[in-house]
Amino acid sequence: MTEELHDGFGRGITYLRIAVTDKCNFRCVYCMPSEGVAPRAHDELLSAEEIARFVRIVAAEGVRRVRLTGGEPLVSHRILPLIRDIRAIPQIEDISLTTNGALLPKLAPALKEAGLDRVNISLDTLDPAQFSAITRLGRLAQTLDGIDAALAFGFDPVKVNCVVVRRLNQDVFELAKLSLERPVHVRFIEYMPIGNEETGADRAHDVAQDTPSRGSAAADPHCPGGVDASLWDASDTVPSAELRDRISQAAVAAGIGALEPAGEGTGPAGAGPATYWRFPGAAGTVGFISAMSNHFCSSCNRMRLTADGAIRPCLFSDAEYRVREALRSGDDAAVAAVWHDAVAHKPQEHQAIEGTERFMSQIGG
């Protein structure tokens, strides 16, 4: 087995996140503009064959886990052949996918057959009006059906990711209760105010004029004016400790019992930076990812590949290492050289969360 490649700070790089596409069937306010991202020429994007070849090359350098993201990876016609090709790489031990869940009821059987191991499903609220306001084009029932499909077809674990934004006043206790009866792992992620005025998670534009057909966000008691992501700032980050206390208090009041530590080694596979808790007797867990209040840079083992062929060593930096041309040259050594350069320049930590030139849907965040 090939030894893993280490960056300049001794971290082994074993995890690759791949943005298969920057397109999506939703228009979430913290991810992309209401009209979607500008279309790009076909040859600007990596083909499935090029992505799989890149994975084969970096697998020989120690990468063992791959996560497919977007945009929404399930809108790409390349997703099934890509999963099959990656599954055929002997060194790859785990293939996961992040999705909004809307297409899982249709695609789950084929994804399982192709070799996908597990899924993360994004879900920021169980309130239908608020869900429509945040996603612009989505319906809550689509994502809930996607969770059901993921469980029915044996993906393990099934994680549900919620980005918590203070002014949205999300129904976090109701989300946490999804873990009570079914083996679902609900994870709450601290909001990270990244981006610039046009591209960032805190600067998605045109929200005020883009009210959903199912009602105005301003009229929604859960998020009065809250979905205008151009107003979000660092004060909208809810520290994990505060959120955990809030959920525990609600659970005690409801007679469920406070959250308890899940115990060392009892979290779901691919646990990453989350810390896991559970309600007494619950089938699943409740996780907290403290991206702001407790940085986990010192243990970061991941790199990112964008849909147009750039390697990004850190989500919070515009530094990119172009690998598309090396891939198309047919020279594996040239591809490996770009990979080595990118890994060598992975920063020790993000010094500040600053403006990025890409929308979140283009980074695969």
Side-chain angles (χ1 to χ4, degrees), residues 61-349:
E61 303 287 345
V63 168
R64 297 292 174 262
R65 297 169 53 208
V66 171
R67 174 169 295 280
L68 304 173
T69 70
E72 169 52 54
L74 296 187
V75 303
S76 172
H77 67 278
R78 305 175 296 169
I79 193 63
L80 292 174
L82 176 58
I83 292 172
R84 284 192 288 266
D85 286 347
I86 295 174
R87 184 81 283 164
I89 300 171
Q91 299 97 324
I92 298 301
E93 300 169 356
D94 180 75
I95 307 173
S96 56
L97 180 143
T98 296
T99 174
N100 59 38
L103 296 175
L104 272 178
K106 174 182 177 182
L107 294 176
L111 290 166
K112 190 68 176 177
E113 183 179 4
L116 184 67
D117 293 304
R118 54 196 181 88
V119 294
N120 287 13
I121 300 172
S122 300
L123 176 61
D124 294 322
T125 179
L126 289 174
D127 179 86
Q130 188 179 49
F131 185 93
S132 293
I134 293 171
T135 64
R136 293 191 180 108
L137 299 180
R139 293 181 295 107
L140 176 62
Q142 294 174 300
T143 296
L144 294 180
D145 288 346
I147 295 172
D148 290 339
L151 291 168
F153 285 94
F155 293 104
D156 183 29
V158 175
K159 299 177 183 177
V160 174
N161 288 346
C162 171
V163 177
V164 180
V165 180
R166 190 178 297 278
R167 77 183 66 202
L168 287 179
N169 191 27
Q170 291 142 288
D171 46 345
V172 292
F173 176 50
E174 294 302 314
L175 283 163
K177 288 197 298 182
L178 292 175
S179 69
L180 283 172
E181 303 296 333
R182 298 186 295 172
V184 171
H185 305 278
V186 182
R187 295 154 13 123
F188 295 102
I189 304 168
E190 290 178 349
Y191 166 64
M192 297 172 284
I194 69 175
N196 60 35
E197 291 184 355
E198 295 180 350
T199 65
D202 63 336
R203 292 292 182 267
H205 59 77
D206 292 338
V207 181
Q209 291 139 25
D210 192 39
T211 50
S213 60
R214 297 183 68 175
S216 167
D220 181 356
H222 288 300
C223 56
V227 293
D228 187 349
S230 68
L231 301 177
W232 299 356
D233 55 32
S235 68
D236 284 299
T237 299
V238 181
S240 292
E242 175 189 332
L243 188 65
R244 189 173 63 247
D245 288 345
R246 187 195 306 174
I247 293 171
S248 282
Q249 290 171 15
V252 169
I256 294 171
L259 288 170
E260 305 168 341
E264 191 72 25
T266 61
T275 58
Y276 285 92
W277 300 63
R278 61 171 15 109
F279 294 119
T285 64
V286 179
F288 299 89
I289 298 179
S290 307
M292 294 294 291
S293 64
N294 185 21
H295 291 177
F296 37 82
C297 299
S298 63
S299 60
C300 183
N301 63 345
R302 68 194 62 185
M303 302 282 281
R304 287 174 165 79
L305 178 69
T306 66
D308 61 350
I311 303 168
R312 293 181 68 104
C314 179
L315 174 64
F316 303 108
S317 169
D318 278 331
E320 293 187 337
Y321 296 80
R322 302 297 307 177
V323 76
R324 184 179 66 196
E325 291 71 23
L327 277 167
R328 292 178 179 174
S329 74
D331 186 347
D332 287 4
V335 174
V338 178
W339 175 252
H340 279 240
D341 191 27
V343 170
H345 287 90
K346 184 175 175 65
Q348 184 174 19
E349 60 184 12

Side-chain angles (χ1 to χ4, degrees), residues 50 79 128 291 337 356:
E50 288 168 335
I79 193 63
T356 178

